[in-house]
Amino acid sequence: MPSSRVRLVIHGGAGALPNRDFSREIAHMRGLIEAGRDRLQAGAAALDVVVETIAGLEASGLYVAGRGASANTDGIYELDASLMHGPTRRAGGVASLVGFASPIRAARAVMEHTPHVLLAGRGAAAFAARQGLEAIEDPKAWFTPAWRETAIAGTAAQMGTVGCLALDERGELAAGTSTGGIFGKLPGRVGDSPIIGAGAWADDTVAVSCTGQGEMFIRAAVGAQIAFRMRFGGQPLAAAAPAALEEVRALGGEGGLIALSADGDIAMPYISKGMKRACLGPDGEITVAVF
Ligand code: ASP
């Protein structure tokens, strides 16, 4: 494997049952990392690889995002996602999006085809329809909630999200996050995932995607906090990422995050019972883990 500056990091959500078999998720994450690696090494842009990788996570039904998302207490599937491009800090997101297969593609469309950063609810759905994004005809047939297998397990299983970070050959960073939110959420509840600076962030220093109890990740501004610790505090990623997560813990939250610096450093800390995660590190080695 030729040495390369490209990096790719994904997560499939915090919280995992210790005795469950994760072989499908592990194989799936490895496949996505290999596909993304090949594209990045062929010169693909970080932003494109982030969107395609997250779309793959959403479509699998293996994680609490996209097809695997859980419904709110009204039985409606309201999905959140966001995307950010490091060098330009262009960003887009959707919140409480109903009726569309890929929230991350909707987030990209908001970024690229509106002057806004975040569209929510009916306006987001109307926009996604105008963009010609894939609609869900029959939600009952489409969604295969990943939480069904784990919902009885207590708080550690009542969440799940997907995220992806990439560093391309040009040195550009991008970050994205997509989620069905937390299990048992109220209609209209929006977590950290579509909030730029909370559940996702990318600038020219670092890219971040979070998973966990979104309320605490918003209150700790985790994505922006890591970037600002590095930029204004001079902290290395290895110090900044766990420090921000400690603030989530201090607020009574749990979860985890993935972070990737422009230098190619990777951090994947978590304070939950496991976090599905995978990365392409220096010299091309791939790491995939749940615990
Ligand atoms: N952070 C997500 C939210 O609060 C949930 C998760 O990551 O499990 O919506």
Side-chain angles (χ1 to χ4, degrees):
M1 181 73 54
S3 78
S4 163
R5 77 188 296 181
V6 306
R7 299 281 190 282
L8 185 61
V9 193
I10 63 182
H11 72 76
L17 275 182
N19 46 7
R20 200 187 139 223
D21 174 18
F22 288 99
S23 50
R24 277 198 308 167
E25 288 84 350
I26 286 169
H28 185 249
M29 289 191 291
R30 178 176 291 278
L32 287 176
I33 289 280
E34 288 170 353
R37 171 199 62 198
D38 294 349
R39 295 195 63 205
L40 286 166
Q41 288 182 345
L47 190 74
D48 292 331
V49 172
V50 164
V51 171
E52 290 313 311
T53 304
I54 291 180
L57 291 159
E58 290 173 337
S60 70
L62 293 173
Y63 318 89
V64 187
R67 280 195 92 169
S70 52
N72 65 24
T73 53
D74 278 353
I76 307 295
Y77 294 86
E78 294 184 331
L79 275 45
D80 304 332
S82 65
L83 180 69
M84 192 167 188
H85 179 237
T88 60
R89 291 210 218 167
R90 285 188 307 149
V94 287
S96 298
L97 177 68
V98 176
F100 290 86
S102 176
I104 195 67
R105 292 196 202 282
R108 181 175 198 158
V110 170
M111 182 178 101
E112 292 183 338
H113 302 300
T114 81
H116 309 306
V117 166
L118 183 59
L119 290 182
R122 277 190 307 167
F127 169 74
R130 287 198 301 277
Q131 288 293 311
L133 297 176
E134 185 189 347
I136 298 166
E137 301 302 335
D138 179 1
K140 281 205 169 59
W142 172 261
F143 288 101
T144 56
W147 62 266
R148 266 190 203 138
E149 297 171 47
T150 54
I152 39 159
T155 56
Q158 292 177 359
M159 50 192 186
T161 289
V162 302
C164 179
L165 316 170
L167 176 66
D168 65 25
E169 288 285 7
R170 289 174 295 173
E172 295 194 352
L173 288 166
T177 306
S178 179
T179 191
I182 52 172
F183 175 65
K185 68 180 183 180
L186 291 175
R189 179 268 185 188
V190 175
D192 60 315
S193 305
I195 310 290
I196 295 297
W201 179 264
D203 59 16
D204 48 17
T205 302
V206 68
V208 182
S209 174
C210 301
T211 172
Q213 288 167 311
E215 284 71 10
M216 288 70 157
F217 281 77
I218 294 171
R219 290 163 60 201
V222 172
Q225 182 181 149
I226 291 170
F228 296 163
R229 280 177 180 273
M230 294 176 71
R231 186 191 312 203
F232 304 123
Q235 293 185 3
L237 180 65
L245 209 46
E246 280 310 313
E247 290 207 359
V248 171
R249 193 204 300 272
L251 293 171
E254 61 174 305
L257 61 89
I258 54 175
L260 168 64
S261 77
D263 298 330
D265 294 334
I266 293 169
M268 303 189 288
Y270 60 92
I271 52 168
S272 46
K273 289 198 185 87
M275 178 177 74
K276 302 179 203 79
R277 61 197 186 279
C279 71
L280 171 72
D283 303 322
E285 85 271 8
I286 293 175
T287 305
V288 191
V290 177
F291 299 102

